[in-house]
Amino acid sequence: MSSHAHVVGWGKYVPQRVLKNGELSELVDTSDEWIRTRTGIRERHLAEDGETTASMAFQAARQALEVAQLSPAQVDLIIVATATPDHLFPSTACLVQDMIGATRAAAFDLSAGCTGFIYGLSVAANMLSSGAYQTALVIGAETLSSITDWTDRSTCVLFGDGAGAVVIQMGENKGGVLAATLGSDGSGGDILWLPAGGSRMPTSQQTIDQRLHFIHMKGREVFRFAVKVIHEATCEVLQKAGYALSDLTLLIPHQANQRIIEAAARSLNLPLEMVYSNVEWYGNTSAASIPIALSEAVEKGRIQTGDLVVCVGFGAGLTWGAVAIRWTRPHSVPVSLSRRALRRLHYSLARFRSRLRRLLRGLFVIWIKNGWNGDQRRHE
Ligand code: UT7
């Protein structure tokens, strides 16, 4: 991909409500100790009444647009990756389009399980590179609590709700989204799935009684698959981009389980400091996990201009994929002043004005005192 689609904005949103491991042990036969040692998760955020995938996606998108200093009308394309849309239709992307007022944008949802954000970023970067669009919002958002079986200890301890978003924009500078690799293996569809509610098994009293509207997962199989594809997709995307593992600054894997993250780091021979992890605080938020982690990594200063970042995901489908990003600005700003530079100049001038005022005030006080003393002396 000879693309120059750059990440110019990022944002994340998680609900206020926090569910700690201890509270789960009141629901099912589990313990804080088991959850922490087997998954690395301490707590997760759950949507409150009225919060939905679209409303969380909206919050993350709004933040990303603020960072990018763009107005909603400048967005041409919105992709929402989710396995938990507000409705089967209309798409969650259309709901977000309306909420933010992106009056010029095309909008659609994308279903690729936990790899959804990687698929979305790759699709959006290609659509931008084709010249058809200039600016895209790519969002990963999930309300997994709505499809979690709160009586199944093997899954309910894992998942959380939230949303992450990036704004990508075309620019003449080299860098941005350098390469992507995407994969699928539908033969593994029943390793991780939501059996009912679609056209094959429409909702009925029987599907409800059999708890077929919840996540069903063969955890160990997903675990093995995950470690394998994180390794392969990371190496492949770096090779496509023309780089080696030694050039990498930060790997951002899908946040499913700390043991998966550590096993993948070992298999890639990467020190853990180079592999971003926040699964401890959010659990597995599926398609939202990578954009949440990416936004957090930028906010924490873990990603700087010039860095080479790989985001890698795996999930239901089965699907997997990775995107290599050179963290650069889309445009050079040597001649015209950027907005940020203008703001800095504005604050410098304000500081200068206030110092000048203080100085003048000081001089005035000295002058008054001297004048007064002079008058006194003259009277004496
Ligand atoms: O986004 C992609 C989606 N999912 C994933 O990435 C998940 C990938 N898989 C995993 O993270 C892990 O396989 C799990 C965390 C789901 C499970 O960990 P594990 O080490 O693979 O455990 P296991 O399934 O082999 O189960 C070990 C034991 C079993 O008991 P027995 O049969 O040995 O007596 C389970 O019944 O742990 C039991 N167990 C639990 N015990 C306490 C399963 N869940 C729990 C629990 N609390 N919550």
PDB file of all heavy atoms in Angstrom, residues 29-31 34-35 38-39 114 153-154 157-159 192 217 219-220 222-223 254 256-257 259-260 284 314-315, ligand 1:
ATOM      1  N   ASP A  29     -19.168 -19.086  40.264  1.00  0.00           N
ATOM      2  CA  ASP A  29     -18.150 -19.749  41.074  1.00  0.00           C
ATOM      3  C   ASP A  29     -16.756 -19.411  40.523  1.00  0.00           C
ATOM      4  O   ASP A  29     -16.183 -20.155  39.709  1.00  0.00           O
ATOM      5  CB  ASP A  29     -18.402 -21.269  41.023  1.00  0.00           C
ATOM      6  CG  ASP A  29     -17.398 -22.029  41.878  1.00  0.00           C
ATOM      7  OD1 ASP A  29     -16.734 -21.392  42.720  1.00  0.00           O
ATOM      8  OD2 ASP A  29     -17.280 -23.258  41.681  1.00  0.00           O
ATOM      9  N   THR A  30     -16.239 -18.257  40.935  1.00  0.00           N
ATOM     10  CA  THR A  30     -14.919 -17.831  40.489  1.00  0.00           C
ATOM     11  C   THR A  30     -14.252 -17.053  41.622  1.00  0.00           C
ATOM     12  O   THR A  30     -14.826 -16.894  42.699  1.00  0.00           O
ATOM     13  CB  THR A  30     -15.018 -16.964  39.204  1.00  0.00           C
ATOM     14  OG1 THR A  30     -13.714 -16.779  38.682  1.00  0.00           O
ATOM     15  CG2 THR A  30     -15.661 -15.605  39.443  1.00  0.00           C
ATOM     16  N   SER A  31     -13.033 -16.588  41.372  1.00  0.00           N
ATOM     17  CA  SER A  31     -12.357 -15.792  42.406  1.00  0.00           C
ATOM     18  C   SER A  31     -11.470 -14.748  41.743  1.00  0.00           C
ATOM     19  O   SER A  31     -11.046 -14.922  40.592  1.00  0.00           O
ATOM     20  CB  SER A  31     -11.487 -16.704  43.278  1.00  0.00           C
ATOM     21  OG  SER A  31     -10.458 -17.246  42.462  1.00  0.00           O
ATOM     22  N   TRP A  34      -8.259 -16.393  40.604  1.00  0.00           N
ATOM     23  CA  TRP A  34      -8.319 -17.159  39.345  1.00  0.00           C
ATOM     24  C   TRP A  34      -8.315 -16.200  38.158  1.00  0.00           C
ATOM     25  O   TRP A  34      -7.567 -16.377  37.201  1.00  0.00           O
ATOM     26  CB  TRP A  34      -9.573 -18.048  39.299  1.00  0.00           C
ATOM     27  CG  TRP A  34      -9.521 -19.051  38.153  1.00  0.00           C
ATOM     28  CD1 TRP A  34      -9.125 -20.338  38.224  1.00  0.00           C
ATOM     29  CD2 TRP A  34      -9.866 -18.815  36.771  1.00  0.00           C
ATOM     30  NE1 TRP A  34      -9.188 -20.938  36.982  1.00  0.00           N
ATOM     31  CE2 TRP A  34      -9.641 -20.017  36.066  1.00  0.00           C
ATOM     32  CE3 TRP A  34     -10.328 -17.712  36.054  1.00  0.00           C
ATOM     33  CZ2 TRP A  34      -9.870 -20.153  34.694  1.00  0.00           C
ATOM     34  CZ3 TRP A  34     -10.545 -17.844  34.678  1.00  0.00           C
ATOM     35  CH2 TRP A  34     -10.318 -19.054  34.018  1.00  0.00           C
ATOM     36  N   ILE A  35      -9.149 -15.180  38.232  1.00  0.00           N
ATOM     37  CA  ILE A  35      -9.280 -14.278  37.080  1.00  0.00           C
ATOM     38  C   ILE A  35      -7.954 -13.556  36.827  1.00  0.00           C
ATOM     39  O   ILE A  35      -7.487 -13.452  35.681  1.00  0.00           O
ATOM     40  CB  ILE A  35     -10.432 -13.258  37.289  1.00  0.00           C
ATOM     41  CG1 ILE A  35     -11.758 -13.985  37.535  1.00  0.00           C
ATOM     42  CG2 ILE A  35     -10.562 -12.343  36.082  1.00  0.00           C
ATOM     43  CD1 ILE A  35     -12.904 -13.095  37.971  1.00  0.00           C
ATOM     44  N   ARG A  38      -5.199 -16.155  35.561  1.00  0.00           N
ATOM     45  CA  ARG A  38      -5.460 -16.779  34.247  1.00  0.00           C
ATOM     46  C   ARG A  38      -5.668 -15.777  33.125  1.00  0.00           C
ATOM     47  O   ARG A  38      -5.575 -16.109  31.960  1.00  0.00           O
ATOM     48  CB  ARG A  38      -6.709 -17.665  34.313  1.00  0.00           C
ATOM     49  CG  ARG A  38      -6.593 -18.843  35.248  1.00  0.00           C
ATOM     50  CD  ARG A  38      -5.684 -19.919  34.658  1.00  0.00           C
ATOM     51  NE  ARG A  38      -5.606 -21.049  35.530  1.00  0.00           N
ATOM     52  CZ  ARG A  38      -5.903 -22.296  35.168  1.00  0.00           C
ATOM     53  NH1 ARG A  38      -6.254 -22.561  33.948  1.00  0.00           N
ATOM     54  NH2 ARG A  38      -5.804 -23.274  36.049  1.00  0.00           N
ATOM     55  N   THR A  39      -6.014 -14.510  33.492  1.00  0.00           N
ATOM     56  CA  THR A  39      -6.321 -13.546  32.425  1.00  0.00           C
ATOM     57  C   THR A  39      -5.596 -12.207  32.580  1.00  0.00           C
ATOM     58  O   THR A  39      -5.465 -11.464  31.616  1.00  0.00           O
ATOM     59  CB  THR A  39      -7.833 -13.216  32.383  1.00  0.00           C
ATOM     60  OG1 THR A  39      -8.168 -12.432  33.541  1.00  0.00           O
ATOM     61  CG2 THR A  39      -8.700 -14.450  32.370  1.00  0.00           C
ATOM     62  N   CYS A 114     -13.211  -9.433  16.997  1.00  0.00           N
ATOM     63  CA  CYS A 114     -12.252  -8.570  17.695  1.00  0.00           C
ATOM     64  C   CYS A 114     -11.222  -7.967  16.740  1.00  0.00           C
ATOM     65  O   CYS A 114     -10.481  -7.065  17.117  1.00  0.00           O
ATOM     66  CB  CYS A 114     -11.534  -9.358  18.788  1.00  0.00           C
ATOM     67  SG  CYS A 114     -12.657 -10.167  19.913  1.00  0.00           S
ATOM     68  N   ARG A 153     -19.212 -18.871  33.936  1.00  0.00           N
ATOM     69  CA  ARG A 153     -17.963 -18.336  34.499  1.00  0.00           C
ATOM     70  C   ARG A 153     -16.803 -18.363  33.498  1.00  0.00           C
ATOM     71  O   ARG A 153     -15.834 -17.627  33.650  1.00  0.00           O
ATOM     72  CB  ARG A 153     -17.569 -19.109  35.758  1.00  0.00           C
ATOM     73  CG  ARG A 153     -17.099 -20.538  35.497  1.00  0.00           C
ATOM     74  CD  ARG A 153     -16.585 -21.177  36.751  1.00  0.00           C
ATOM     75  NE  ARG A 153     -16.077 -22.507  36.497  1.00  0.00           N
ATOM     76  CZ  ARG A 153     -15.469 -23.256  37.379  1.00  0.00           C
ATOM     77  NH1 ARG A 153     -15.319 -22.817  38.613  1.00  0.00           N
ATOM     78  NH2 ARG A 153     -15.017 -24.449  37.069  1.00  0.00           N
ATOM     79  N   SER A 154     -16.895 -19.210  32.459  1.00  0.00           N
ATOM     80  CA  SER A 154     -15.776 -19.302  31.528  1.00  0.00           C
ATOM     81  C   SER A 154     -15.727 -18.115  30.558  1.00  0.00           C
ATOM     82  O   SER A 154     -14.725 -17.886  29.896  1.00  0.00           O
ATOM     83  CB  SER A 154     -15.829 -20.619  30.749  1.00  0.00           C
ATOM     84  OG  SER A 154     -16.905 -20.596  29.834  1.00  0.00           O
ATOM     85  N   VAL A 157     -16.216 -13.484  32.941  1.00  0.00           N
ATOM     86  CA  VAL A 157     -15.148 -12.762  33.644  1.00  0.00           C
ATOM     87  C   VAL A 157     -14.265 -11.988  32.669  1.00  0.00           C
ATOM     88  O   VAL A 157     -13.405 -11.199  33.091  1.00  0.00           O
ATOM     89  CB  VAL A 157     -14.272 -13.741  34.469  1.00  0.00           C
ATOM     90  CG1 VAL A 157     -15.117 -14.474  35.495  1.00  0.00           C
ATOM     91  CG2 VAL A 157     -13.554 -14.755  33.572  1.00  0.00           C
ATOM     92  N   LEU A 158     -14.457 -12.229  31.368  1.00  0.00           N
ATOM     93  CA  LEU A 158     -13.484 -11.725  30.392  1.00  0.00           C
ATOM     94  C   LEU A 158     -13.816 -10.364  29.787  1.00  0.00           C
ATOM     95  O   LEU A 158     -12.916  -9.596  29.468  1.00  0.00           O
ATOM     96  CB  LEU A 158     -13.344 -12.727  29.224  1.00  0.00           C
ATOM     97  CG  LEU A 158     -12.964 -14.162  29.589  1.00  0.00           C
ATOM     98  CD1 LEU A 158     -13.014 -15.050  28.355  1.00  0.00           C
ATOM     99  CD2 LEU A 158     -11.567 -14.181  30.199  1.00  0.00           C
ATOM    100  N   PHE A 159     -15.121 -10.098  29.609  1.00  0.00           N
ATOM    101  CA  PHE A 159     -15.481  -9.014  28.696  1.00  0.00           C
ATOM    102  C   PHE A 159     -15.852  -7.694  29.370  1.00  0.00           C
ATOM    103  O   PHE A 159     -16.273  -7.675  30.522  1.00  0.00           O
ATOM    104  CB  PHE A 159     -16.622  -9.479  27.795  1.00  0.00           C
ATOM    105  CG  PHE A 159     -16.244 -10.694  26.982  1.00  0.00           C
ATOM    106  CD1 PHE A 159     -16.802 -11.936  27.265  1.00  0.00           C
ATOM    107  CD2 PHE A 159     -15.314 -10.599  25.966  1.00  0.00           C
ATOM    108  CE1 PHE A 159     -16.442 -13.059  26.531  1.00  0.00           C
ATOM    109  CE2 PHE A 159     -14.941 -11.723  25.226  1.00  0.00           C
ATOM    110  CZ  PHE A 159     -15.499 -12.953  25.510  1.00  0.00           C
ATOM    111  N   LEU A 192     -15.825 -19.446  18.481  1.00  0.00           N
ATOM    112  CA  LEU A 192     -16.233 -18.216  19.167  1.00  0.00           C
ATOM    113  C   LEU A 192     -17.403 -17.627  18.398  1.00  0.00           C
ATOM    114  O   LEU A 192     -17.218 -17.101  17.294  1.00  0.00           O
ATOM    115  CB  LEU A 192     -15.027 -17.249  19.189  1.00  0.00           C
ATOM    116  CG  LEU A 192     -15.218 -15.853  19.753  1.00  0.00           C
ATOM    117  CD1 LEU A 192     -15.822 -15.890  21.140  1.00  0.00           C
ATOM    118  CD2 LEU A 192     -13.890 -15.115  19.787  1.00  0.00           C
ATOM    119  N   MET A 217     -17.866 -19.841  23.608  1.00  0.00           N
ATOM    120  CA  MET A 217     -16.443 -19.827  23.236  1.00  0.00           C
ATOM    121  C   MET A 217     -15.701 -21.059  23.742  1.00  0.00           C
ATOM    122  O   MET A 217     -15.917 -21.502  24.870  1.00  0.00           O
ATOM    123  CB  MET A 217     -15.792 -18.573  23.836  1.00  0.00           C
ATOM    124  CG  MET A 217     -14.333 -18.430  23.469  1.00  0.00           C
ATOM    125  SD  MET A 217     -13.628 -16.911  24.084  1.00  0.00           S
ATOM    126  CE  MET A 217     -13.510 -17.269  25.818  1.00  0.00           C
ATOM    127  N   GLY A 219     -12.419 -21.509  24.862  1.00  0.00           N
ATOM    128  CA  GLY A 219     -11.338 -20.603  25.262  1.00  0.00           C
ATOM    129  C   GLY A 219      -9.947 -21.072  24.910  1.00  0.00           C
ATOM    130  O   GLY A 219      -9.143 -20.310  24.364  1.00  0.00           O
ATOM    131  N   ARG A 220      -9.663 -22.351  25.198  1.00  0.00           N
ATOM    132  CA  ARG A 220      -8.302 -22.849  24.984  1.00  0.00           C
ATOM    133  C   ARG A 220      -7.916 -22.810  23.509  1.00  0.00           C
ATOM    134  O   ARG A 220      -6.789 -22.489  23.164  1.00  0.00           O
ATOM    135  CB  ARG A 220      -8.192 -24.276  25.510  1.00  0.00           C
ATOM    136  CG  ARG A 220      -7.488 -24.317  26.851  1.00  0.00           C
ATOM    137  CD  ARG A 220      -7.283 -25.723  27.290  1.00  0.00           C
ATOM    138  NE  ARG A 220      -8.152 -26.007  28.414  1.00  0.00           N
ATOM    139  CZ  ARG A 220      -8.200 -27.180  29.026  1.00  0.00           C
ATOM    140  NH1 ARG A 220      -7.484 -28.187  28.591  1.00  0.00           N
ATOM    141  NH2 ARG A 220      -8.981 -27.344  30.072  1.00  0.00           N
ATOM    142  N   VAL A 222      -9.142 -20.769  21.220  1.00  0.00           N
ATOM    143  CA  VAL A 222      -8.923 -19.367  20.819  1.00  0.00           C
ATOM    144  C   VAL A 222      -7.527 -18.926  21.274  1.00  0.00           C
ATOM    145  O   VAL A 222      -6.806 -18.236  20.544  1.00  0.00           O
ATOM    146  CB  VAL A 222     -10.000 -18.430  21.420  1.00  0.00           C
ATOM    147  CG1 VAL A 222      -9.739 -16.975  21.011  1.00  0.00           C
ATOM    148  CG2 VAL A 222     -11.391 -18.837  20.990  1.00  0.00           C
ATOM    149  N   PHE A 223      -7.152 -19.353  22.463  1.00  0.00           N
ATOM    150  CA  PHE A 223      -5.853 -18.988  23.031  1.00  0.00           C
ATOM    151  C   PHE A 223      -4.715 -19.412  22.092  1.00  0.00           C
ATOM    152  O   PHE A 223      -3.852 -18.607  21.708  1.00  0.00           O
ATOM    153  CB  PHE A 223      -5.695 -19.666  24.405  1.00  0.00           C
ATOM    154  CG  PHE A 223      -4.578 -19.131  25.244  1.00  0.00           C
ATOM    155  CD1 PHE A 223      -4.842 -18.421  26.421  1.00  0.00           C
ATOM    156  CD2 PHE A 223      -3.245 -19.323  24.879  1.00  0.00           C
ATOM    157  CE1 PHE A 223      -3.816 -17.919  27.194  1.00  0.00           C
ATOM    158  CE2 PHE A 223      -2.215 -18.835  25.662  1.00  0.00           C
ATOM    159  CZ  PHE A 223      -2.504 -18.133  26.818  1.00  0.00           C
ATOM    160  N   HIS A 254      -4.541  -6.982  20.298  1.00  0.00           N
ATOM    161  CA  HIS A 254      -5.898  -7.057  20.860  1.00  0.00           C
ATOM    162  C   HIS A 254      -5.777  -7.500  22.320  1.00  0.00           C
ATOM    163  O   HIS A 254      -5.031  -8.420  22.643  1.00  0.00           O
ATOM    164  CB  HIS A 254      -6.713  -8.060  20.046  1.00  0.00           C
ATOM    165  CG  HIS A 254      -7.992  -8.453  20.691  1.00  0.00           C
ATOM    166  ND1 HIS A 254      -8.856  -7.536  21.251  1.00  0.00           N
ATOM    167  CD2 HIS A 254      -8.562  -9.683  20.889  1.00  0.00           C
ATOM    168  CE1 HIS A 254      -9.892  -8.170  21.766  1.00  0.00           C
ATOM    169  NE2 HIS A 254      -9.739  -9.467  21.561  1.00  0.00           N
ATOM    170  N   ALA A 256      -7.027  -9.377  25.058  1.00  0.00           N
ATOM    171  CA  ALA A 256      -7.956 -10.439  25.433  1.00  0.00           C
ATOM    172  C   ALA A 256      -7.544 -11.103  26.735  1.00  0.00           C
ATOM    173  O   ALA A 256      -8.386 -11.438  27.559  1.00  0.00           O
ATOM    174  CB  ALA A 256      -8.046 -11.482  24.326  1.00  0.00           C
ATOM    175  N   ASN A 257      -6.233 -11.284  26.880  1.00  0.00           N
ATOM    176  CA  ASN A 257      -5.740 -12.027  28.039  1.00  0.00           C
ATOM    177  C   ASN A 257      -4.249 -11.702  28.172  1.00  0.00           C
ATOM    178  O   ASN A 257      -3.508 -11.785  27.191  1.00  0.00           O
ATOM    179  CB  ASN A 257      -5.948 -13.531  27.768  1.00  0.00           C
ATOM    180  CG  ASN A 257      -5.556 -14.397  28.943  1.00  0.00           C
ATOM    181  OD1 ASN A 257      -4.596 -14.088  29.650  1.00  0.00           O
ATOM    182  ND2 ASN A 257      -6.276 -15.478  29.146  1.00  0.00           N
ATOM    183  N   ARG A 259      -1.990 -13.374  29.465  1.00  0.00           N
ATOM    184  CA  ARG A 259      -1.147 -14.540  29.142  1.00  0.00           C
ATOM    185  C   ARG A 259      -0.962 -14.670  27.628  1.00  0.00           C
ATOM    186  O   ARG A 259       0.095 -15.090  27.170  1.00  0.00           O
ATOM    187  CB  ARG A 259      -1.776 -15.820  29.714  1.00  0.00           C
ATOM    188  CG  ARG A 259      -1.500 -15.976  31.223  1.00  0.00           C
ATOM    189  CD  ARG A 259      -2.421 -16.991  31.848  1.00  0.00           C
ATOM    190  NE  ARG A 259      -2.392 -18.278  31.193  1.00  0.00           N
ATOM    191  CZ  ARG A 259      -3.482 -19.026  30.929  1.00  0.00           C
ATOM    192  NH1 ARG A 259      -4.680 -18.587  31.278  1.00  0.00           N
ATOM    193  NH2 ARG A 259      -3.374 -20.183  30.352  1.00  0.00           N
ATOM    194  N   ILE A 260      -1.981 -14.306  26.844  1.00  0.00           N
ATOM    195  CA  ILE A 260      -1.832 -14.330  25.379  1.00  0.00           C
ATOM    196  C   ILE A 260      -0.799 -13.276  24.970  1.00  0.00           C
ATOM    197  O   ILE A 260       0.091 -13.526  24.155  1.00  0.00           O
ATOM    198  CB  ILE A 260      -3.193 -14.052  24.672  1.00  0.00           C
ATOM    199  CG1 ILE A 260      -4.164 -15.196  24.938  1.00  0.00           C
ATOM    200  CG2 ILE A 260      -2.986 -13.838  23.170  1.00  0.00           C
ATOM    201  CD1 ILE A 260      -5.561 -15.014  24.326  1.00  0.00           C
ATOM    202  N   ASN A 284     -11.610  -7.626  28.044  1.00  0.00           N
ATOM    203  CA  ASN A 284     -11.612  -7.751  26.584  1.00  0.00           C
ATOM    204  C   ASN A 284     -12.797  -6.962  26.022  1.00  0.00           C
ATOM    205  O   ASN A 284     -13.948  -7.337  26.242  1.00  0.00           O
ATOM    206  CB  ASN A 284     -11.714  -9.239  26.233  1.00  0.00           C
ATOM    207  CG  ASN A 284     -11.772  -9.497  24.736  1.00  0.00           C
ATOM    208  OD1 ASN A 284     -11.947  -8.583  23.949  1.00  0.00           O
ATOM    209  ND2 ASN A 284     -11.629 -10.757  24.357  1.00  0.00           N
ATOM    210  N   PHE A 314      -7.098 -10.442  16.533  1.00  0.00           N
ATOM    211  CA  PHE A 314      -7.576 -11.787  16.215  1.00  0.00           C
ATOM    212  C   PHE A 314      -8.956 -11.918  16.833  1.00  0.00           C
ATOM    213  O   PHE A 314      -9.271 -11.218  17.802  1.00  0.00           O
ATOM    214  CB  PHE A 314      -6.631 -12.842  16.823  1.00  0.00           C
ATOM    215  CG  PHE A 314      -6.498 -12.715  18.319  1.00  0.00           C
ATOM    216  CD1 PHE A 314      -7.382 -13.351  19.184  1.00  0.00           C
ATOM    217  CD2 PHE A 314      -5.511 -11.901  18.873  1.00  0.00           C
ATOM    218  CE1 PHE A 314      -7.276 -13.199  20.559  1.00  0.00           C
ATOM    219  CE2 PHE A 314      -5.408 -11.738  20.247  1.00  0.00           C
ATOM    220  CZ  PHE A 314      -6.296 -12.387  21.095  1.00  0.00           C
ATOM    221  N   GLY A 315      -9.763 -12.788  16.265  1.00  0.00           N
ATOM    222  CA  GLY A 315     -11.082 -12.952  16.891  1.00  0.00           C
ATOM    223  C   GLY A 315     -12.045 -13.796  16.089  1.00  0.00           C
ATOM    224  O   GLY A 315     -11.639 -14.569  15.210  1.00  0.00           O
TER     225      GLY A 315
HETATM  226  O1  UT7 B   1     -11.184 -11.793  21.852  1.00  0.00           O
HETATM  227  C1  UT7 B   1     -11.004 -13.127  21.611  1.00  0.00           C
HETATM  228  C2  UT7 B   1     -11.914 -13.849  22.516  1.00  0.00           C
HETATM  229  N1  UT7 B   1     -11.437 -14.657  23.540  1.00  0.00           N
HETATM  230  C3  UT7 B   1     -10.191 -14.929  23.966  1.00  0.00           C
HETATM  231  O2  UT7 B   1      -9.228 -14.448  23.513  1.00  0.00           O
HETATM  232  C4  UT7 B   1     -10.078 -15.935  25.042  1.00  0.00           C
HETATM  233  C5  UT7 B   1      -8.889 -16.837  24.871  1.00  0.00           C
HETATM  234  N2  UT7 B   1      -8.807 -17.826  25.924  1.00  0.00           N
HETATM  235  C6  UT7 B   1      -8.493 -17.516  27.190  1.00  0.00           C
HETATM  236  O3  UT7 B   1      -8.218 -16.392  27.503  1.00  0.00           O
HETATM  237  C7  UT7 B   1      -8.434 -18.627  28.196  1.00  0.00           C
HETATM  238  O4  UT7 B   1      -8.544 -19.872  27.528  1.00  0.00           O
HETATM  239  C8  UT7 B   1      -9.536 -18.519  29.282  1.00  0.00           C
HETATM  240  C9  UT7 B   1      -9.233 -17.361  30.187  1.00  0.00           C
HETATM  241  C10 UT7 B   1     -10.896 -18.353  28.657  1.00  0.00           C
HETATM  242  C11 UT7 B   1      -9.556 -19.774  30.134  1.00  0.00           C
HETATM  243  O5  UT7 B   1      -8.258 -19.981  30.711  1.00  0.00           O
HETATM  244  P1  UT7 B   1      -7.584 -21.409  30.634  1.00  0.00           P
HETATM  245  O6  UT7 B   1      -6.336 -21.329  31.360  1.00  0.00           O
HETATM  246  O7  UT7 B   1      -7.526 -21.782  29.173  1.00  0.00           O
HETATM  247  O8  UT7 B   1      -8.594 -22.283  31.437  1.00  0.00           O
HETATM  248  P2  UT7 B   1      -9.404 -23.569  30.962  1.00  0.00           P
HETATM  249  O9  UT7 B   1     -10.491 -23.193  30.030  1.00  0.00           O
HETATM  250  O10 UT7 B   1      -8.422 -24.603  30.525  1.00  0.00           O
HETATM  251  O11 UT7 B   1     -10.051 -24.025  32.336  1.00  0.00           O
HETATM  252  C12 UT7 B   1      -9.251 -24.464  33.417  1.00  0.00           C
HETATM  253  C13 UT7 B   1     -10.155 -24.724  34.606  1.00  0.00           C
HETATM  254  C14 UT7 B   1     -11.400 -25.545  34.252  1.00  0.00           C
HETATM  255  O12 UT7 B   1     -11.668 -26.377  35.353  1.00  0.00           O
HETATM  256  P3  UT7 B   1     -11.256 -27.934  35.312  1.00  0.00           P
HETATM  257  O13 UT7 B   1     -11.960 -28.496  34.126  1.00  0.00           O
HETATM  258  O14 UT7 B   1      -9.772 -27.925  35.142  1.00  0.00           O
HETATM  259  O15 UT7 B   1     -11.736 -28.431  36.619  1.00  0.00           O
HETATM  260  C15 UT7 B   1     -12.486 -24.515  34.151  1.00  0.00           C
HETATM  261  O16 UT7 B   1     -13.748 -25.047  34.465  1.00  0.00           O
HETATM  262  O17 UT7 B   1     -10.639 -23.466  35.090  1.00  0.00           O
HETATM  263  C16 UT7 B   1     -12.069 -23.548  35.205  1.00  0.00           C
HETATM  264  N3  UT7 B   1     -12.569 -22.197  35.002  1.00  0.00           N
HETATM  265  C17 UT7 B   1     -12.715 -21.329  36.013  1.00  0.00           C
HETATM  266  N4  UT7 B   1     -12.468 -21.406  37.320  1.00  0.00           N
HETATM  267  C18 UT7 B   1     -12.703 -20.313  38.072  1.00  0.00           C
HETATM  268  C19 UT7 B   1     -12.982 -21.632  33.856  1.00  0.00           C
HETATM  269  N5  UT7 B   1     -13.367 -20.376  34.090  1.00  0.00           N
HETATM  270  C20 UT7 B   1     -13.228 -20.152  35.410  1.00  0.00           C
HETATM  271  C21 UT7 B   1     -13.468 -19.062  36.243  1.00  0.00           C
HETATM  272  N6  UT7 B   1     -13.192 -19.175  37.548  1.00  0.00           N
HETATM  273  N7  UT7 B   1     -13.942 -17.884  35.777  1.00  0.00           N
END
